[in-house]
Amino acid sequence: MSAKIEQLVAMRLNTYFKQQPVTPALTELKMELATDLNEAANDKERSGLDPEAAVAEAFSDFSDINELIKQVNAENGATEKVHRHQITVDEDGIAIDSGKMLKIDADGISINNGTIKADANGLKVGRWTVDANGINEQEDTTEQESSAGLQAFDLAGEYRERLPLVNERRLAVADLISLTIRYQTAMIKVLPTQETTDELIVREFMNPGL
C-alpha cells in the first residue's frame, strides 16, 4: 500500500466528514470508505497513474459519498452518542449496568454477562473453564445447529440485491495457503456456493447503515 495514496485519501475523506458529528455509524462508514478507496487507488497506480490521479479517479468511480453520509445519519441519527454506565454500590456488592457489564457479590465475579465468571465452581472464560477437574473447553453447539441446515447459496442473488458490492476476489483453492481478513469491525459469513469450479469467492459488501 502506498503511503502517499493513503495520505491523499485521508485528506479528501476529511473534507466530507469535517462538518459531520462524531457518531459510531459515521466512524464505521469512514473506515470502510478509506479501505475501499485506498485499494482502488493503489490498483490504479499499479496500472500506470500517478498517486494524485489514481486517488482522484478512485473517488470519481465511487458512489456519492455525501449521499451515503446523509443516509447513515437518517438511519442512525446525527447526534453524537456517549454511552454512560450506571454504577451501583450497596450492601449486596458492586454492579455496573445492572450487572451486565460487571457484577461483584457474595456469589463471585461476573463480567460482560458471564463471559468471564469466577465463583465457587471455578473460573470461566468464554468457552473455557478452570476448576477442580482441570482446564476444559465447552462444546459450542450453536455453529453445529446453524450449519446442519446449510445449503448451497447463490451469492449472486440475495446479497447483491440487498447491499452494494464494492469488491470481489476469486482465488483458486489449490493455490490458497492462508487467508487473512483485517477489519476493525465486520460481519463475515462463510457459505457454500453453487459454483462448479474449485474457487474461493471473497465478496465485500458495504452496509451504509452500520
Side-chain angles (χ1 to χ4, degrees):
M1 299 287 283
S2 168
K4 176 68 172 178
I5 285 179
E6 188 174 355
Q7 180 183 22
L8 291 171
V9 167
M11 290 173 60
R12 290 193 63 155
L13 271 182
N14 285 339
T15 64
Y16 289 94
F17 286 87
K18 65 181 180 180
Q19 300 297 330
Q20 297 297 325
V22 180
T23 65
L26 284 183
T27 300
E28 180 70 21
L29 175 63
K30 187 177 181 181
M31 289 190 299
E32 289 187 5
L33 289 172
T35 298
D36 297 333
L37 289 165
N38 270 292
E39 185 172 327
N42 276 278
D43 288 342
K44 293 179 183 299
E45 184 187 39
R46 284 191 289 269
S47 69
L49 294 180
D50 59 64
E52 288 79 5
V55 170
E57 191 169 306
F59 272 84
S60 177
D61 292 346
F62 207 77
S63 304
D64 188 338
I65 295 177
N66 285 321
E67 189 61 34
L68 284 174
I69 292 174
K70 289 180 182 178
Q71 183 178 350
V72 169
N73 283 335
E75 293 178 356
N76 298 274
T79 304
E80 296 186 24
K81 299 178 181 178
V82 178
H83 180 70
R84 293 178 173 84
H85 295 284
Q86 180 184 11
I87 302 175
T88 303
V89 181
D90 55 27
E91 64 273 10
D92 294 326
I94 302 173
I96 300 179
D97 295 344
S98 300
K100 295 178 181 178
M101 291 294 295
L102 173 68
K103 184 178 181 181
I104 303 175
D105 56 21
D107 294 328
I109 301 174
S110 174
I111 301 174
N112 193 19
N113 279 325
T115 301
I116 301 175
K117 188 175 181 179
D119 56 24
N121 296 319
L123 174 65
K124 174 180 175 292
V125 181
R127 292 165 53 189
W128 294 89
T129 59
V130 182
D131 54 25
N133 298 320
I135 302 175
N136 299 284
E137 181 182 12
Q138 297 177 341
E139 184 177 358
D140 186 0
T141 59
T142 304
E143 183 177 350
Q144 296 176 358
E145 292 173 357
S146 62
S147 63
L150 198 61
Q151 299 178 355
F153 191 83
D154 182 6
L155 289 181
E158 179 183 358
Y159 280 87
R160 186 181 294 278
E161 295 171 1
R162 290 173 52 189
L163 299 173
L165 176 66
V166 295
N167 190 25
E168 176 178 309
R169 295 285 178 88
R170 289 176 176 259
L171 308 169
V173 174
D175 299 334
L176 189 64
I177 299 175
S178 65
L179 178 65
T180 303
I181 300 174
R182 291 191 179 95
Y183 277 98
Q184 287 189 338
T185 304
M187 178 183 293
I188 299 173
K189 291 190 176 182
V190 180
L191 301 169
T193 71
Q194 295 175 349
E195 300 287 336
T196 57
T197 57
D198 291 334
E199 286 185 318
L200 174 66
I201 305 172
V202 181
R203 285 181 175 168
E204 180 184 6
F205 298 87
M206 175 175 291
N207 185 354
L210 288 178

